[in-house]
Amino acid sequence: MVQKKGSQRLFQRELRQLIEELTEMALVAEELFSASARALVGRDRYLARRVAESAGVGPAEFGETVHARTLELLQEWANVVGNVRSLMMIQQSATELERIGDHARRVATHALALTDGAGPHLPSLGREIGGDLLALIRAVSGQLRGCAEMLAAPDTEGAQGLAAADAEVDRVYLRLVAELQEAMSHTPEWALLLTRLLFAAHEMECIGNRVGNICENISYMLAYWEPAASSKGGSRAAI
């Protein structure tokens, strides 16, 4: 029994280290999204290009370490069901963070297209579209910051609360979509550029979904290690 408890303490230390790696990934993802959002709002062509072409810089590079270490631990702890579940949740969360980095780069790609000197430039956005675009950016930024904080100090209640907050991202996103579609009907000459903005907003909405998935993964993991905690579990797909 003493040996078993000692083994579990060792596994918990390994798990804590993996979660710290996830926290680093979340911070990098937050920074990448922040840069892409600044490029989009400020129509900063240089910054948009730098983020869009930032291959080798992002959550994926941290993710390689997490994936490799998780596979090692899966081989070592494959005979303990609960440990395997926890490691799978870490693995899935690392993948979600990698995809968040991809979404952030695609926001920058759309921002770059909106500053293309070869074609027409997008005119100033109206108050409603501009306000909701900023509201969406703030909501997604809050989700990413909350994700990093939740990973730094995991708890079931915090993870579930952050997952539930994705409803605000969805609400603002759907309102922005309706406004952009209306703008396209009134000014068809700007339809292509407004579609770029619509695609950028969609990437942001996907980031919110992926943060929700990470929260649910962590809730599920904590529910095993802390039986008193509850978790709704489940997962939502992000395109």
Side-chain angles (χ1 to χ4, degrees):
M1 179 64 71
V2 174
Q3 183 178 2
K4 183 178 179 180
K5 288 183 178 179
S7 297
Q8 283 301 104
R9 282 197 294 269
L10 176 60
F11 176 78
Q12 288 281 24
R13 285 198 296 271
E14 296 280 7
L15 196 65
R16 178 67 255 179
Q17 185 173 350
L18 283 174
I19 293 177
E20 288 175 0
E21 292 283 350
L22 285 182
T23 305
E24 289 292 331
M25 291 179 70
L27 290 171
V28 172
E30 180 189 10
E31 184 178 352
L32 202 62
F33 173 71
S34 176
S36 67
R38 291 199 308 273
L40 181 66
V41 173
R43 304 185 188 183
D44 187 330
R45 183 170 179 78
Y46 170 76
L47 180 58
R49 182 181 295 279
R50 185 158 62 87
V51 176
E53 298 177 353
S54 61
V57 179
E61 286 58 52
F62 287 87
E64 291 178 4
T65 301
V66 174
H67 288 308
R69 185 56 184 149
T70 301
L71 290 174
E72 291 176 4
L73 291 173
L74 279 170
Q75 292 179 334
E76 184 177 351
W77 297 93
N79 61 327
V80 184
V81 175
N83 292 351
V84 172
R85 289 175 181 170
S86 296
L87 290 170
M88 292 305 298
M89 293 301 99
I90 295 293
Q91 189 87 304
Q92 290 177 22
S93 296
T95 299
E96 296 288 356
L97 286 167
E98 289 173 351
R99 299 293 77 78
I100 286 173
D102 293 338
H103 290 307
R105 287 192 181 92
R106 286 198 284 270
V107 170
T109 298
H110 295 307
L112 185 60
L114 288 170
T115 63
D116 187 358
H121 290 284
L122 187 68
S124 297
L125 300 175
R127 179 178 297 179
E128 288 185 350
I129 292 177
D132 280 334
L133 178 61
L134 290 176
L136 182 61
I137 290 171
R138 284 194 293 268
V140 173
S141 296
Q143 286 288 86
L144 287 171
R145 169 53 55 172
C147 183
E149 292 175 349
M150 183 270 298
L151 288 170
D155 74 275
T156 303
E157 184 177 350
Q160 291 179 344
L162 186 58
D166 182 47
E168 173 65 11
V169 174
D170 292 339
R171 185 179 67 81
V172 177
Y173 167 69
L174 291 174
R175 190 171 64 210
L176 180 58
V177 167
E179 291 163 356
L180 287 170
Q181 289 174 336
E182 183 178 1
M184 289 178 200
S185 65
H186 291 158
T187 54
E189 65 273 20
W190 300 113
L192 182 59
L193 294 177
L194 289 170
T195 298
R196 281 285 187 179
L197 198 57
L198 181 62
F199 287 164
H202 176 66
E203 300 294 344
M204 297 182 204
E205 191 265 343
C206 287
I207 290 175
N209 286 345
R210 292 195 184 278
V211 169
N213 289 342
I214 293 168
C215 291
E216 290 172 354
N217 288 340
I218 298 301
S219 291
Y220 182 77
M221 184 185 73
L222 291 174
Y224 175 80
W225 292 109
E226 302 172 9
S230 62
S231 173
K232 294 180 181 179
S235 180
R236 290 164 294 166
I239 298 172

